[in-house]
Amino acid sequence: QDRPVSLGQVLGRMGTAGMKSYTAAEDRQTKLASSLAAAQRQKRIDEQKAAYDAEMLRLKELEVKGVSAKSAKASSEKITDREIEFAKQFRTESKPFKESMLAFEKISANALSKRPSGATDIAMIFNFMKSLDPESVVRGQEYEAAAGAGSLIRSLGLRYNRLLRGEDEKLPDQVRKDFYQTALETFQPFVESQIRDEKTISGQAEAFGLNAKNIIPKSLAPEVGSEKFPHVVYSEQEILNLPAGKYFVLNGNLGVTE
């Protein structure tokens, strides 16, 4: 300085400067500590908020899943009810077909018997007449056609009664074959109608989003061309037009294509 100072003044000034530096440093440390504490508090707040948000999201998802599961269950039950309703409708509409198929199977068993007799012929004629005229009855051990029955029924009744009384031992082979082919021709429209009905019901079910297999697990109609339901043909050419392995009936004779 431009004038002399004492040692005490120097020391005093140094102390004052040192104290200011110390105070400034202390203020900086205090502010730093405060900033760190504030940052830590904010971090804890953010972590708590994130945990809260995650828990709320989890609860919301569980709620949505619960509602979805409930809705899915209700929808599944509704579908099941509809399928049961369609299946009931299918069974009701298929009842006439089942009756006609049972009658045809009885006639076939008698007509194709490997040991034909008067007894099998009686059963065959009876089943055939019942399929044509359900009101027909057997009284006094003889056949009586229902009132208004046609000449075919009456002629069959005569054959039935002659066999029953022993006047005829059994029917001629060709007559038995004719019975079989006629029964097959009579049954054929029932099969075709059943196939159409099953396709219709399956189509309706699929349109409603239902599983058709739960309604019609398996077709009731026999396979066309199988031994149980052969093709009816009337010429050799028709046989040649059939695929190999298909059964057919020509003039009452059952055969299979090669």
Side-chain angles (χ1 to χ4, degrees), residues 237-253:
Q237 184 59 46
E238 289 184 66
I239 297 175
L240 296 176
N241 293 335
L242 294 175
K246 293 296 181 180
Y247 285 85
F248 64 88
V249 171
L250 176 63
N251 297 325
N253 296 296

Side-chain angles (χ1 to χ4, degrees), residues 103-147:
F104 173 70
E105 288 174 346
K106 290 179 179 179
I107 296 168
S108 298
N110 299 138
L112 300 177
S113 174
K114 294 182 179 180
R115 298 180 62 183
S117 64
T120 59
D121 288 341
I122 289 173
M124 180 184 65
I125 296 175
F126 178 77
N127 290 321
F128 187 81
M129 288 188 294
K130 292 290 287 186
S131 68
L132 296 179
D133 180 21
E135 299 299 323
S136 60
V137 293
V138 175
R139 296 174 180 169
Q141 295 186 340
E142 289 195 355
Y143 179 82
E144 292 184 8

Side-chain angles (χ1 to χ4, degrees), residues 64-83:
V64 171
K65 288 180 179 178
V67 172
S68 299
K70 186 177 180 180
S71 299
K73 182 180 180 182
S75 178
S76 177
E77 290 176 350
K78 186 176 181 181
I79 289 174
T80 301
D81 290 342
R82 295 295 294 275
E83 289 177 346

Side-chain angles (χ1 to χ4, degrees), residues 80-97:
T80 301
D81 290 342
R82 295 295 294 275
E83 289 177 346
I84 292 174
E85 182 181 346
F86 268 82
K88 183 178 179 180
Q89 176 188 346
F90 171 68
R91 289 193 298 270
T92 300
E93 294 181 359
S94 297
K95 186 176 180 180
F97 171 76

